[in-house]
Amino acid sequence: MSDLLVAPSAPPTRRRPGARRRPPSSKASRRLRTVAPYLLVLPVVVTLAVALGYPLIRQLVMSFQEFGLAQQFGAEPEWVGLENYKTLLTDDATWAVIIRSLVFCAVNAAVTMILGMAVAVLKTKLSTWVRIVVQSVLLLAWAMPVIASMTVWQWLFDTQYGVINWLLVKLGFEQYAQHPWLLEPLSFFFVATVIVVWMSVPFVAFSLYAALTQVSGEQLEAAQLDGAGPWQRFRHITVPTIMPVVYVVSLLQVVWDLRVFAQIYYLQGAGGLRSETDLLGTHIYNLGIGQSSYGMASAVAIFMLVLTLVLTIGYVRKLAKED
């Protein structure tokens, strides 16, 4: 009888096939949306911190030390404080390199941006097949390895067998017969500028052409109907529209032209006078590898980093305002 009086247990509840799960609480969802971006970026941040942070800190510490050839064989480095920076700031040769690098960077960045903009605008006016040919040529110039391209340019400007000298003589400029382009600092940097600009224009042209394709055709047509000429449409409509891309490309170009190394180092090996053609990149290399003065080379490298930040801080602020 007692077994019969016991109430049967309730059957387990089962969710109907069409029933939906209860969504998580709004607070937990907001917290997940807040943390998720940081979790996704965390691996990249850790990788950059390990790959770039340690060398930067090591170089900063070395800039306060007397670190030479003896230290490479196990000797304890001597802590000299700001002595390397004092030598840097009071050395006339180093200041000549800094001024030379700033002028070279300004000229190359300006010429590259002007030519890149001109090529990008020209590509918008070309037919499809002609534009494909131009883009292929630019891509080949941009993708060519530095050593291969430098070998070609060295042959073009060769003193005895160079095509440039031969062509100038044929045009009537007899003074360029066997002209030593790399022995004179002015002509050396002219050759270096031609090479650096030739290698940089394709990237600028591709980037600005992609931005030009986003300019509203309706605005250009409306301005044309209102009587605006081609230059007015380009200045007041096209340029403001693509200005964010211009800022980014200009920023990258300044950074790249300030730390140019391979082209200058190769031309110096082909006949350039190192004492009169050094830029910051080759100067740091010569101090460290050539003279085994790694402490001084580190101080110049840190100075170069600070100089790059000073030159680009305006661009960065402008980009932040645009965003």
Side-chain angles (χ1 to χ4, degrees):
M1 288 294 293
S2 61
D3 294 339
L4 296 175
L5 295 177
V6 176
S9 59
T13 59
R14 295 181 179 179
R15 190 173 70 251
R16 290 177 298 172
R20 298 180 178 178
R21 292 184 178 181
R22 294 181 60 187
S25 62
S26 58
K27 185 176 181 180
S29 179
R30 288 195 301 268
R31 185 179 304 169
L32 180 62
R33 287 196 299 268
T34 303
V35 177
Y38 297 99
L39 295 178
L40 295 175
V41 175
L42 183 60
V44 179
V45 174
V46 172
T47 303
L48 290 176
V50 174
L52 299 179
Y54 172 76
L56 180 61
I57 294 175
R58 184 72 181 91
Q59 191 171 60
L60 180 62
V61 173
M62 194 181 297
S63 68
F64 296 103
Q65 296 174 338
E66 180 65 33
F67 202 102
L69 187 61
Q71 282 69 31
Q72 292 291 309
F73 291 93
E76 190 70 21
E78 179 184 355
W79 185 268
V80 295
L82 298 175
E83 191 63 31
N84 290 329
Y85 291 96
K86 291 180 181 178
T87 304
L88 185 157
L89 295 176
T90 56
D91 185 18
D92 294 337
T94 303
W95 276 109
V97 171
I98 294 172
I99 295 173
R100 198 181 300 139
S101 301
L102 291 175
V103 174
F104 184 83
C105 173
V107 172
N108 280 263
V111 174
T112 301
M113 292 301 299
I114 293 173
L115 293 180
M117 176 68 78
V119 173
V121 173
L122 178 63
K123 287 168 62 177
T124 62
K125 308 297 182 183
L126 299 176
S127 61
T128 302
W129 288 105
V130 177
R131 185 170 63 250
I132 292 175
V133 173
V134 173
Q135 288 177 341
S136 300
V137 173
L138 291 174
L139 185 60
L140 289 175
W142 187 40
M144 184 179 294
V146 176
I147 299 301
S149 60
M150 291 300 300
T151 302
V152 174
W153 282 106
Q154 180 185 354
W155 175 73
L156 289 175
F157 284 97
D158 186 76
T159 301
Q160 296 182 353
Y161 308 105
V163 176
I164 302 298
N165 286 347
W166 175 83
L167 183 60
L168 290 174
V169 171
K170 290 296 182 182
L171 293 176
F173 300 96
E174 298 294 338
Q175 65 272 23
Y176 284 97
Q178 297 186 353
H179 177 71
W181 290 91
L182 302 180
L183 291 181
E184 300 177 5
L186 188 60
S187 59
F188 175 94
F189 284 112
F190 171 77
V191 175
T193 298
V194 170
I195 297 173
V196 172
V197 170
W198 177 80
M199 291 181 176
S200 304
V201 162
F203 171 77
V204 177
F206 283 130
S207 302
L208 297 184
Y209 173 72
L212 288 172
T213 58
Q214 305 302 316
V215 178
S216 175
E218 297 178 355
Q219 292 183 3
L220 295 175
E221 292 178 1
Q224 185 177 5
L225 293 175
D226 291 337
W231 172 249
Q232 292 175 324
R233 295 196 301 271
F234 178 77
R235 178 182 177 184
H236 298 289
I237 297 178
T238 302
V239 172
T241 303
I242 68 173
M243 190 54 68
V245 179
V246 174
Y247 282 139
V248 174
V249 176
S250 300
L251 173 64
L252 294 175
Q253 202 59 49
V254 168
V255 173
W256 291 338
D257 288 340
L258 185 63
R259 63 182 183 87
V260 63
F261 170 77
Q263 295 87 340
I264 303 298
Y265 182 77
Y266 191 93
L267 291 177
Q268 287 178 342
L273 298 177
R274 193 179 304 277
S275 60
E276 299 181 5
T277 58
D278 257 346
L279 298 183
L280 281 172
T282 54
H283 185 61
I284 294 172
Y285 178 86
N286 293 329
L287 285 174
I289 305 300
Q291 304 177 20
S292 298
S293 181
Y294 297 98
M296 189 63 192
S298 298
V300 178
I302 295 298
F303 178 84
M304 183 178 177
L305 174 62
V306 174
L307 182 62
T308 304
L309 295 176
V310 171
L311 292 177
T312 58
I313 190 64
Y315 288 106
V316 175
R317 288 181 178 178
K318 188 67 177 179
L319 290 174
K321 292 180 180 179
E322 292 291 338
D323 292 337

